[in-house]
Amino acid sequence: MEPVDLAVSALHPSVDDPALNSMNFLNEVAQHYPDAVSLAAGRPYEEFFDSAVLHEHLDAFRRHLADDLGLSRAQVDRALLQYGRTKGIVHHLIARNLAVDERLTVDPEAIVVTVGCQEAMFLVLRALRAGPRDVLLAVAPTYVGLTGAARLVDLPVRPVGGGPDGIDLADLRAQVHRARAEGLRPRACYVMPDFANPSGVRMDLAQRRRLLDLAAEEDLLLIEDNPYGLFPAAGAERLPTLKALDTRRRVVYLGSFAKTVLPGARVGYVVADQRVAGSDGTVGPLADQLAKIKSMVTVNTSPVSQAVIGGALLAHDCSLVAATARERAAYARNLRHLADGLARRFPAGGPVRWNVPAGGFFVVVTVPFGVDDALLHRSAREYGVLWTPMAHFYDAGAPVNALRLSVSAVTPEEIDVGLDRLAALITDELAAVGAPA
Ligand SMILES: Cc1ncc(COP(=O)(O)O)c(C=O)c1O
């Protein structure tokens, strides 16, 4: 054994937590088997990537600062090249985007532009975790980035049943009551109402309203994460976000430009319009408190990255619905292709089941055998196909008989090859456990 200078047990417990190892593990497996078809990656489609547009976006944003906002040449340069406003410089364009695409009116001052949605998640959880009695509720299965961010701030995450409606409201109420009976303080419930990662499930309109009512009755905040809402399947309608339906300031809304513009810019945001009375007696949006935390984490989001996103927004009159027409068509096509491909390879009523989401990137396949990291390794090595064990999205670490497939970063041809390989693996596993194919 090599000599060590620091024991991992002497570091913050999060660094040795499975939630923080999950993304690295999955990336490493993918790197280890570069020839495997990846139905694992939740990255956006690369066919439409074109780095030449970066310059166009930057120029569009510079023109916007000069022509629309009346900044001088020196002020434009300062805005792009200097340290900047902690809450960001494209907040007004994000507010316009939300008005145009989501019919959501927000005060730009209630927006903090962040280094990806991931930072937004961290800021919100850091702010809400005020003491050791605080807990977070989250629909299970949940996004591993949320669990990891909660670990960083020592905020325990308690699962709430998801199910076909997106959230089991009776269980949510029961979890709130149980936590309070234990002397704990549930600070918020994290939800992904639109095509959740990993379940693909979305909440219907009535369920959204019921969830908002329950949050008001139980005096609970909701953290709404919405990276996939612009990608309904062909023929499916978009639904209003929880935040657009929220008349009681119950919802903290997390946004990401990773899937709608480009992930490399690393820009996301949080809308936090909850009123907070400061110790000096002034009242302002929660966003102001989040900005204080941000100032000590990333200081401000790169203005160059923000300018790229700002320019991309301006190119389509701040409508990302308009900007993402090609991507939406590609994801819808792939989702259809995957669902049809599964139906062709696995008989209806058989032991292999899957959901057919109304949009987004992800489908969950349920099988009658354990699905763990060892099986993923074997799948990659012997069958040449990658997917994600669903156990990564549950906090308990218990084995789960399901895997997540993603359609976002593959072509229909790759989906066919990947499904052939997956079918071979599943057939062999079914034979091994003695289940009929
Ligand atoms: C549900 C969910 N939230 C947040 C993120 C992270 O977004 P960003 O890349 O903007 O940090 C992802 C990325 O896959 C996600 O699936």
Side-chain angles (χ1 to χ4, degrees):
M1 180 135 164
E2 286 183 45
V4 290
D5 297 320
L6 282 173
V8 75
S9 58
L11 303 177
H12 188 263
S14 63
V15 298
D16 207 24
D17 191 280
L20 271 76
N21 283 322
S22 189
M23 286 199 200
N24 283 348
F25 167 78
L26 296 169
N27 286 336
E28 273 165 26
V29 177
Q31 277 164 15
H32 207 82
Y33 302 100
D35 296 332
V37 171
S38 179
L39 299 174
R43 320 161 142 226
Y45 206 46
E46 291 179 7
E47 189 188 321
F48 308 124
F49 278 6
D50 177 8
S51 56
V53 300
L54 295 180
H55 299 281
E56 290 169 25
H57 292 336
L58 278 171
D59 278 343
F61 187 69
R62 286 171 63 223
R63 281 197 305 276
H64 165 70
L65 292 180
D67 301 346
D68 301 339
L69 303 187
L71 269 58
S72 68
R73 172 77 198 265
Q75 287 171 321
V76 169
D77 284 349
R78 189 175 304 131
L80 290 186
L81 306 179
Q82 192 49 281
Y83 286 106
R85 182 177 177 272
T86 309
K87 287 203 285 184
I89 57 170
V90 294
H91 52 309
H92 57 298
L93 299 179
I94 293 173
R96 238 157 77 193
N97 163 245
L98 291 172
V100 171
D101 284 342
E102 308 294 349
R103 294 190 190 170
L104 167 56
T105 307
V106 299
D107 177 357
E109 287 301 323
I111 295 173
V112 184
V113 187
T114 52
V115 181
C117 176
Q118 186 66 33
E119 189 196 19
M121 232 174 258
F122 175 82
L123 299 180
V124 173
L125 300 189
R126 174 65 282 172
L128 290 178
R129 201 283 188 187
R133 290 171 45 236
D134 292 334
V135 294
L136 178 72
L137 303 175
V139 170
T142 202
Y143 176 55
V144 69
L146 181 274
T147 315
R151 290 288 190 280
L152 296 184
V153 301
D154 301 308
L155 184 61
V157 181
R158 294 191 152 203
V160 174
D165 300 325
I167 185 166
D168 178 339
L169 293 175
D171 191 44
L172 173 59
R173 202 185 288 278
Q175 293 295 344
V176 170
H177 291 182
R178 189 169 311 153
R180 287 183 179 147
E182 290 171 33
L184 302 173
R185 197 160 60 144
R187 299 310 315 268
C189 181
Y190 170 83
V191 290
M192 291 170 277
D194 288 284
F195 321 129
N197 180 6
S199 71
V201 172
R202 80 157 156 184
M203 294 178 199
D204 69 21
L205 186 56
Q207 181 78 343
R208 290 170 199 237
R209 292 192 197 283
R210 284 192 291 265
L211 174 58
L212 286 164
D213 287 344
L214 192 153
E217 283 158 30
E218 295 293 345
D219 190 17
L220 188 70
L221 284 176
L222 299 171
I223 301 172
E224 176 178 29
D225 189 7
N226 185 21
Y228 306 104
L230 293 198
F231 305 117
E237 301 226 323
R238 290 201 304 122
L239 294 175
T241 62
L242 282 183
K243 189 66 191 156
L245 300 168
D246 174 29
T247 53
R248 293 165 281 198
R249 291 201 288 265
R250 285 280 149 200
V251 179
V252 176
Y253 182 83
L254 307 180
S256 169
F257 295 107
K259 310 295 164 16
T260 51
V261 184
L262 60 129
R266 301 304 304 130
V267 178
Y269 63 93
V270 49
V271 179
D273 58 1
Q274 290 69 26
R275 313 303 298 165
V276 178
S279 43
D280 59 358
T282 57
V283 176
L286 174 61
D288 288 349
Q289 311 301 326
L290 301 181
K292 290 185 204 165
I293 301 172
K294 178 175 172 66
S295 76
M296 292 296 154
V297 182
T298 53
V299 182
N300 57 246
T301 302
S302 158
V304 179
S305 283
Q306 292 188 70
V308 168
I309 298 299
L313 286 168
L314 288 162
H316 294 87
D317 293 329
C318 288
S319 172
L320 290 174
V321 171
T324 55
R326 288 182 310 181
E327 286 80 359
R328 191 161 37 260
Y331 296 139
R333 175 202 64 199
N334 281 3
L335 200 56
R336 184 75 264 146
H337 201 79
L338 184 81
D340 290 349
L342 285 165
R344 266 200 309 279
R345 286 166 180 84
F346 301 104
V352 180
R353 288 174 291 122
W354 60 93
N355 62 341
V356 181
F361 290 6
F362 308 112
V363 168
V364 176
V365 178
T366 308
V367 290
F369 51 81
V371 175
D372 57 13
D373 291 350
L375 187 66
L376 171 61
H377 267 294
R378 211 148 62 67
S379 175
R381 194 174 57 241
E382 294 174 21
Y383 296 83
V385 60
L386 294 163
W387 33 264
T388 309
M390 281 293 284
H392 283 265
F393 304 103
Y394 290 90
D395 213 7
V400 179
N401 288 7
L403 52 99
R404 187 196 75 176
L405 301 180
S406 170
V407 298
S408 61
V410 277
T411 61
E413 294 71 33
E414 287 167 330
I415 291 175
D416 285 335
V417 175
L419 282 183
D420 281 343
R421 295 175 179 182
L422 180 67
L425 168 76
I426 290 179
T427 304
D428 291 350
E429 286 301 304
L430 289 175
V433 297

